[in-house]
């Protein structure tokens, strides 16, 4: 079978052989090299950025950085790492049921053209576009001051849960929509109610898609700093309770780099952050491949 | 038997209500965000005076002088700069990925773009601080270059999906008329994907104007109006983070009002994005 790309390639070759005005040929060559240069630049920037951080950071990775205690002589990133895990866990725990529930309502319970559905879509889109600093400020005004949770893990997690809610909603919606209607009809035909159909038939088939959304959300939570500084605060300890302040790894890295005293440790922290991000990306790419394989098979 | 059926009905109804509540959380969130920003920001704007607040050129919280024009101009400067650097490279890369790249190259470059999108903004900021700042200083130019890199993945993925959505027979038609591969892509495919590409640019603008941490680490943060791209400036976003930590009373409320201005900007950008998206879907 000839793929589209191969076909295009053979056409390109034929074009090149075919005699055509020189000006047209140079024009084509210029455009071709222009797009190549742009792609090379994009790839080059990534390689340079990641390479630079790795080369500068890896020599400074040592066990002291992973000590249990953070203090001014040893700026350990361990508490921040644990806080990041806690933050991810709590935010996802809050956001996942809400996002999945909302998606189920949108896909399984409503028809097209419903006014409420339009409003829900519009607000979800609005939430997607709001910058993280505005979330941070809202979290500070609402969770920290009004609900009076103070600077705490819980305030931060709730703020981030709202921030990633549209991501989880959208990916779950896509996943639910990709489940064939014949599955639902078969289930209804066997006498199952709507609720049972959703939980026993539709949701299990949509799990990889939902997981991909959750991983995307985790990536955002791990990388977030602006929304956390004034909601979760910057205390570099593992919190004793949900209502204690806790800095995550990204916030930790920001504090280190703005203090400017621990440049080597900052590089090393950046390496750890990059490794986590690459891991998350690989996982989501793996899941995406699994989904596309399934839809073909 | 009857009882069981009623119970099932009750369960169904209850579930539907629960799902409905979950779906309404996003509405609630937007309402709460608006409510808290407006309720805390409007009184400050009233006290300073809307005109003085938006067009005042001096920001001196110590003397109770609050003009945020320097920050508005700063945000516009570095957003424009980011667009200048990021958009051409992003669109050309998208064209390359969509129509030029061989399969192995695309398989390498696509995950690279995704990774670029996943890198936390503090890491970008730190990279800018240790690599670009020593050369160009903490300046408009530095922030623009860094933001240009940061919006690349947004521009690339959205424009690429717009290009991929153009029907293949457009391309084939152009070839049949004797156009080269390059000419067909640039003269036929690209114009057909125009509104999708515009949506990508608008989304990029939204990203750039809302970015905080990375900008704060490289932009210098001086609240002044300057035309010199080698001088530092302050943006709306960084103004909030820089001073929120110690601000009290009116100063604090003015900072929230700054966020309100940013929020209104973002709402306008969002609306134009969804309008563009709807138009590109219609085509």
């Amino acid at each position: 079978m000839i793929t589209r790309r191969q076909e295009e390639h053979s056409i390109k070759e034929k074009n090149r052989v075919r005699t055509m005005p020189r000006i047209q040929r140079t024009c084509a060559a210029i455009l071709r090299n222009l797009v190549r240069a742009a792609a090379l630049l994009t790839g080059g920037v990534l390689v340079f950025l990641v390479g630079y951080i790795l080369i500068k950071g890896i020599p400074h990775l040592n066990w002291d950085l992973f000590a249990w205690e953070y203090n001014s002589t040893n700026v350990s990133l361990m508490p921040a790492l644990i806080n990041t895990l806690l933050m991810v866990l709590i935010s996802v725990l809050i956001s996942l049921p809400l996002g999945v529930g909302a998606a189920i309502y949108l896909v399984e319970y409503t028809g097209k053209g419903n006014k409420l559905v339009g409003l829900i879509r519009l607000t979800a889109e609005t939430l997607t576009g709001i910058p993280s600093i505005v979330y941070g400020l809202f979290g500070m005004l609402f969770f920290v001051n009004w609900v009076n949770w103070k600077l705490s893990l819980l305030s931060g997690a709730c703020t981030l849960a709202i921030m990633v809610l549209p991501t989880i909603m959208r990916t779950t919606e896509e996943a639910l929509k990709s489940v064939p209607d014949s599955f639902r009809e078969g289930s209804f035909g066997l006498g199952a109610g709507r609720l049972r159909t959703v939980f026993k038939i539709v949701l299990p088939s949509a799990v990889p898609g939902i997981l991909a959304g959750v991983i995307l959300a985790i990536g955002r939570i791990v990388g977030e700093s602006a929304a956390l500084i004034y909601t979760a605060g910057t205390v570099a300890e593992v919190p004793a309770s949900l209502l204690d302040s806790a800095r995550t790894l990204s916030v930790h890295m920001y504090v280190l780099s703005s203090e400017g005293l621990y440049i080597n440790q900052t590089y090393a922290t950046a390496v750890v952050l990059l490794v986590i991000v690459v891991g998350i990306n690989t996982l989501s790419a793996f899941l995406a491949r699994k989904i596309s394989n399934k839809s073909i098979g | 038997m009857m009882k069981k059926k009623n119970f099932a009905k009750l369960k169904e109804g209850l579930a539907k209500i629960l799902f409905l509540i979950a779906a309404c959380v996003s509405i609630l969130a937007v309402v709460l965000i608006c409510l808290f920003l407006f309720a805390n920001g409007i009184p400050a704007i009233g006290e300073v005076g809307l005109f003085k607040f938006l067009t005042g050129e001096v920001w001196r919280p110590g003397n109770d002088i609050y003009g945020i024009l320097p920050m508005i101009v700063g945000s516009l400067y570095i957003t424009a700069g980011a667009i200048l650097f990021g958009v051409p490279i992003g669109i050309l890369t998208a064209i390359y990925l969509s129509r030029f790249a061989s399969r192995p190259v695309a398989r390498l470059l696509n995950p690279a773009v995704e990774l670029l999108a996943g890198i936390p903004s503090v890491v970008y900021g730190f990279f800018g601080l240790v690599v670009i700042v020593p050369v160009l200083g903490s300046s408009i130019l530095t922030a623009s270059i860094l933001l240009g890199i940061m919006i690349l993945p947004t521009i690339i993925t959205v424009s690429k999906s717009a290009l991929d959505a153009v029907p293949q027979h457009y391309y084939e038609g152009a070839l049949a008329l004797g156009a080269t591969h390059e000419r067909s892509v640039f003269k036929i495919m690209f114009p057909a994907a125009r509104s999708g590409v515009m949506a990508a640019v608008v989304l990029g603008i939204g990203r750039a104007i809302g970015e905080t941490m990375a900008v704060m680490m490289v932009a210098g943060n001086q609240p002044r109006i300057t035309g010199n791209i080698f001088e530092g400036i302050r943006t709306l976003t960084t103004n909030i983070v820089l001073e929120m930590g110690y601000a009290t009373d009116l100063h604090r409320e003015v900072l929230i009002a700054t966020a309100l201005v940013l929020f209104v900007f973002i709402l306008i950008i969002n609306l134009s994005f969804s309008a563009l998206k709807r138009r590109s879907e219609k085509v």
Side-chain angles (χ1 to χ4, degrees):
Chain A
M1 200 188 91
I2 300 173
T3 64
R4 197 194 77 197
R5 269 179 215 284
Q6 281 164 344
E7 199 182 327
E8 276 176 21
H9 189 70
S10 71
I11 292 167
K12 265 191 280 182
E13 287 306 309
K14 270 181 215 152
N15 270 337
R16 219 165 285 161
V17 175
R18 205 185 289 157
T19 47
M20 57 172 114
R22 159 164 293 187
I23 193 154
Q24 213 172 349
R25 243 182 323 175
T26 29
C27 219
I30 289 172
L31 289 176
R32 198 164 54 235
N33 288 319
L34 205 63
V35 289
R36 279 191 192 145
L40 201 65
L41 200 60
T42 304
V45 163
L46 177 79
V47 171
F48 180 52
L49 194 153
V50 173
Y52 190 87
I53 301 250
L54 289 184
I55 289 168
K56 287 274 196 172
I58 286 178
H60 299 290
L61 277 177
N62 53 40
W63 289 115
D64 285 348
L65 271 180
F66 296 94
W68 283 107
E69 287 286 325
Y70 167 96
N71 52 49
S72 53
T73 50
N74 178 27
V75 285
S76 165
L77 56 79
M78 200 61 188
L81 193 61
I82 295 169
N83 290 343
T84 307
L85 287 179
L86 289 173
M87 191 64 83
V88 165
L89 198 72
I90 301 167
S91 308
V92 169
L93 267 181
I94 298 168
S95 202
L96 186 63
L98 291 176
V100 172
I104 289 175
Y105 183 77
L106 288 177
V107 178
E108 309 288 332
Y109 281 84
T110 53
K112 269 185 186 166
N114 186 324
K115 270 222 177 92
L116 184 68
V117 173
L119 188 63
I120 292 167
R121 290 245 154 79
L122 183 74
T123 49
E125 256 175 51
T126 309
L127 285 180
T128 315
I130 295 178
S132 47
I133 178 64
V134 174
Y135 277 112
L137 213 58
F138 164 71
M140 184 193 84
L141 293 170
F142 186 69
F143 296 115
V144 177
N145 294 340
W146 197 76
V147 184
N148 205 11
W149 281 339
K150 303 281 190 292
L151 285 180
S152 67
L153 194 59
L154 193 59
S155 301
C158 285
T159 309
L160 293 192
I162 299 175
M163 199 177 84
V164 298
L165 182 66
T167 309
I168 293 182
M169 255 172 87
R170 200 190 52 240
T171 44
T172 307
E173 237 188 292
E174 304 279 313
L176 291 178
K177 275 186 194 155
S178 72
V179 176
D181 268 340
S182 57
F183 282 33
R184 296 181 183 91
E185 284 152 12
S187 170
F188 290 144
L190 289 171
R194 190 167 281 273
L195 185 62
R196 193 159 175 178
T197 306
V198 166
F199 276 101
K200 296 266 166 171
I201 306 293
V202 181
L203 267 187
S205 333
V207 163
I210 298 173
L211 266 183
V214 170
I215 290 169
L216 215 63
I218 292 176
R220 267 197 88 178
I221 297 169
V222 169
E224 190 48 59
S225 42
L228 286 176
I229 288 179
Y230 296 119
T231 54
T234 54
V235 173
E237 277 170 29
V238 177
S241 80
L242 282 177
L243 292 176
D244 283 330
S245 167
R247 72 158 77 149
T248 65
L249 205 53
S250 289
V251 177
H252 178 68
M253 185 173 160
Y254 167 68
V255 175
L256 281 191
S257 90
S258 63
E259 282 171 353
L261 299 170
Y262 309 99
I263 192 87
N264 293 335
Q265 287 88 334
T266 317
Y267 276 115
T269 310
V271 170
V272 176
L273 262 176
L274 274 183
V275 167
I276 295 174
V277 167
V278 170
I280 289 170
N281 263 32
T282 318
L283 203 62
S284 83
F286 171 75
L287 272 173
R289 216 172 308 137
K290 212 171 162 188
I291 298 166
S292 61
N293 282 349
K294 209 170 150 195
S295 64
I296 292 163
Chain B
M1 188 67 199
M2 213 42 210
K3 232 179 192 171
K4 206 171 170 189
K5 215 170 182 179
N6 275 340
F7 179 66
K9 228 178 181 175
L10 188 75
K11 217 164 69 176
E12 290 282 341
L14 201 69
K16 187 177 176 181
I17 291 170
L18 280 179
F19 292 140
L20 176 65
I21 292 172
C24 289
V25 167
S26 62
I27 302 178
L28 180 74
V30 170
V31 169
L32 278 178
I33 290 173
C34 289
L35 196 72
F36 272 79
L37 284 184
F38 278 92
N40 287 284
I42 292 287
I45 295 181
E47 202 163 317
V48 178
L50 180 65
F51 190 72
K52 252 185 163 171
F53 177 63
L54 289 178
T55 60
E57 291 179 22
V58 182
W59 174 266
R60 215 173 288 147
N63 301 356
D64 269 351
I65 304 173
Y66 303 104
I68 61 163
L69 190 64
M71 278 65 109
I72 295 178
V73 173
S75 280
L76 293 181
Y77 266 142
I78 62 154
T79 304
I83 295 301
L84 213 63
F85 286 110
V87 166
I89 296 172
I91 292 178
L92 287 173
T93 306
I95 292 176
Y96 177 80
L97 274 173
S98 170
R99 289 283 150 180
F100 284 84
S102 64
R103 189 159 289 188
V105 175
R107 207 171 263 178
L108 216 65
L109 200 54
N110 276 324
V113 172
E114 267 168 43
L115 183 59
L116 216 49
I119 294 174
S121 49
V122 273
V123 175
Y124 274 112
F126 183 64
F127 174 77
L129 191 67
V130 292
V131 174
I132 312 179
V133 169
V135 184
L136 298 171
S138 293
S139 61
I140 298 177
L141 187 61
T142 308
S144 300
I145 293 174
L146 191 65
L147 269 181
I149 297 173
M150 290 177 76
I151 64 170
L152 268 182
T154 309
I155 307 264
I156 293 172
T157 38
V158 181
S159 336
K160 181 173 171 281
S161 58
L163 281 164
D164 286 344
V166 177
Q168 179 69 6
H169 60 250
Y170 281 36
Y171 172 77
E172 285 158 2
L175 284 187
L177 289 172
T180 58
H181 171 72
E182 287 79 8
R183 203 181 161 91
S184 329
V185 170
F186 276 87
K187 290 267 170 161
I188 304 297
M189 305 298 282
F190 183 67
R194 204 176 40 209
S195 50
V197 174
M198 273 308 291
V201 174
V202 172
L203 206 62
I205 293 175
R207 283 281 140 77
I209 213 166
E211 180 50 48
T212 315
M213 305 311 275
V215 174
M216 183 158 73
M217 289 157 91
V218 300
N221 303 325
Q222 299 91 333
R224 64 175 168 210
I225 298 178
T226 168
N228 186 347
I229 57 168
F230 293 103
E231 281 182 0
I233 37 101
R234 186 185 283 196
T235 65
L236 290 167
T237 52
T238 51
N239 193 37
I240 302 165
V241 178
L242 282 166
E243 299 187 357
M244 205 60 192
Y246 59 86
T248 50
D249 305 330
L250 182 61
H251 183 194
R252 191 184 121 101
E253 282 173 22
V254 168
L255 290 179
I256 295 164
T258 313
L260 192 59
V261 173
L262 179 69
F263 186 61
V264 171
F265 272 147
I266 290 289
L267 283 186
I268 295 169
I269 291 168
N270 268 6
L271 284 180
S272 35
F273 171 71
S274 20
L276 276 169
K277 213 172 83 180
R278 220 160 292 137
R279 222 174 70 188
S280 77
E281 270 162 13
K282 231 185 258 166
V283 176

